[in-house]
Amino acid sequence: MASHRQELVRRLLASPTKALLYLAALRSGVDLSELPGGEALADERLEYDAPVVLEVGAAVLARHASAIRNDLERFSLYEQLFLAAIDVNDLARAREYLALITGRFPKAAADGSSSSSRVQRLVGMLAEAEGDLDGAQAAYAAGLTADEASAALSKRAAALHAARGDRGAAIAALAAHVDHYAQDAEAWTQLAELYLLEGMPQQAAFCLEELLVLRPASHLLRLRYADLARTLRRPATALRFYAAALEARKDCVRALYGVRAVAADLLAAGGGNAASGKGGGRDAAGDADAEAPPPETLRALHELAGDRLRAVYAAAAEGAGSGHERQASAEQLAVVTAWLQDS
């Protein structure tokens, strides 16, 4: 890893233009081919590596500062180096780059803090890294005062509440955030996790429903929603989403277990609509469940899921390599087979 990193640094520093292009591509998150002059980096693999960013960026500033085209590129580079220093816990260097940034922006009259919400976010991040959570909270509050619509700041503020153990405040902050930024899948995910930690599965389910609208092809989201629906005593809905996960990812073991278990639950409760009343039942909060399949369909799903589980574990046992791996796979297959016979 070290030799690969050193070789990459050497190649990039052979040309300041190439180094700046690489750093710009990392900042923007775009493909190298989309950048003007990006063909010069056609042979490079674009991947974030904080030590490489620090070494290459510092070398460019020290030796090739004239290659930086304007102040916007210069201060974007300072910010990138600041974030890389935070990532490797080099707080002394992070302070140096932050000082270069804060010196450029005007101060607010009231408390002497920067009037730039972007700068306040960096000030708060450094304070967090230093363990000064009060200072971080003050920085984020100042930044939101300067720009109450800052998505990055509102998410940092919510994360800080969670880090301090104040999940109620974190939930309130994230709920306000997604009201303004309904397309922010990461925020919906964090909010769902916080609701689950607070024992509020109904609210978590709502968050997952919003995520499924944003990322309808994700088999992992379908699985999470199915698990939560089962927790909420909505077995027919759970079955539907386990099956949807299998549509997206064939032979997904977790989904196969889910189909098997939920089909067994519905059959044990009377099978099909008899399990919860014609047209589906309702959970503890009064929300309607989906309509359950008829008993013959449930029995077919139960059997099919078991067959596929046997096949998946048998294939794994057959393809096992070393003696230890082969033995472990065989034992796993035996356990699964015994469970399927009893379930």
Side-chain angles (χ1 to χ4, degrees):
M1 179 64 180
S3 60
H4 167 74
R5 181 178 291 154
Q6 292 166 359
E7 179 60 23
L8 175 59
V9 170
R10 185 193 64 76
R11 291 197 306 270
L12 291 176
L13 291 180
S15 163
T17 301
K18 188 174 182 179
L20 286 169
L21 270 172
Y22 189 85
L23 293 170
L26 287 174
R27 283 198 303 273
S28 61
V30 303
D31 190 86
L32 289 170
S33 62
E34 298 178 28
L35 288 175
E39 61 276 1
L41 293 167
D43 296 331
E44 299 295 349
R45 180 180 176 185
L46 189 65
E47 56 185 5
Y48 177 69
D49 187 325
V52 169
V53 169
L54 278 173
E55 186 170 351
V56 172
V60 168
L61 288 171
R63 304 178 213 162
H64 309 289
S66 60
I68 300 174
R69 293 169 297 177
N70 50 47
D71 277 353
L72 176 60
E73 185 174 23
R74 182 184 308 279
F75 282 94
S76 294
L77 180 56
Y78 288 158
E79 181 181 28
Q80 186 176 24
L81 292 173
F82 167 84
L83 294 172
I86 290 287
D87 284 343
V88 299
N89 202 35
D90 189 344
L91 301 188
R93 291 181 74 176
R95 292 186 200 99
E96 291 175 10
Y97 291 120
L98 184 58
L100 292 171
I101 296 168
T102 55
R104 170 67 174 76
F105 293 89
K107 310 295 182 184
D111 60 2
S113 62
S114 172
S115 60
S116 165
S117 62
R118 188 167 175 178
V119 171
Q120 286 300 106
R121 180 175 70 92
L122 302 183
V123 171
M125 290 176 70
L126 178 59
E128 281 192 73
E130 293 173 331
D132 180 9
L133 299 187
D134 289 336
Q137 187 168 345
Y140 296 145
L144 286 169
T145 299
D147 180 10
E148 62 182 16
S150 171
L153 270 173
S154 62
K155 285 174 71 174
R156 291 300 309 179
L160 180 61
H161 287 307
R164 304 188 81 161
D166 190 350
R167 288 201 289 259
I171 286 172
L174 279 174
H177 174 86
V178 295
D179 277 345
H180 290 92
Y181 303 99
Q183 303 296 312
D184 191 338
E186 183 184 21
W188 281 113
T189 301
Q190 293 170 346
L191 187 54
E193 290 171 354
L194 286 169
Y195 276 134
L196 287 174
L197 288 171
E198 287 293 284
M200 303 168 72
Q202 198 73 32
Q203 290 82 346
F206 175 81
C207 296
L208 291 181
E209 288 163 6
E210 293 295 323
L211 277 168
L212 284 164
V213 172
L214 296 174
R215 296 179 178 173
S218 171
H219 79 284
L220 292 175
L221 281 177
R222 296 176 187 183
L223 280 171
R224 290 191 68 187
Y225 189 74
D227 290 342
L228 196 50
R230 193 176 180 207
T231 299
L232 290 168
R233 291 183 291 175
R234 294 161 57 187
T237 298
L239 182 62
R240 173 186 168 192
F241 278 89
Y242 283 130
L246 285 167
E247 287 180 3
R249 183 65 61 91
K250 182 184 177 182
D251 286 343
C252 170
V253 170
R254 180 171 156 193
L256 288 170
Y257 276 119
V259 169
R260 175 92 175 179
V262 173
D265 289 344
L266 285 167
L267 286 167
N273 295 323
S276 53
K278 183 69 178 176
R282 293 184 177 273
D283 65 17
D287 289 333
D289 192 10
E291 183 174 342
E296 57 270 21
T297 301
L298 291 172
R299 282 190 286 271
L301 288 170
H302 184 263
E303 183 176 351
L304 179 60
D307 290 343
R308 291 311 309 155
L309 282 168
R310 286 189 194 91
V312 169
Y313 283 101
E318 185 177 345
S322 66
H324 176 73
E325 183 182 355
R326 190 179 303 111
Q327 180 181 355
S329 296
E331 290 174 355
Q332 196 173 45
L333 175 59
V335 169
V336 171
T337 301
W339 177 77
L340 288 172
Q341 290 173 346
D342 294 336
S343 65

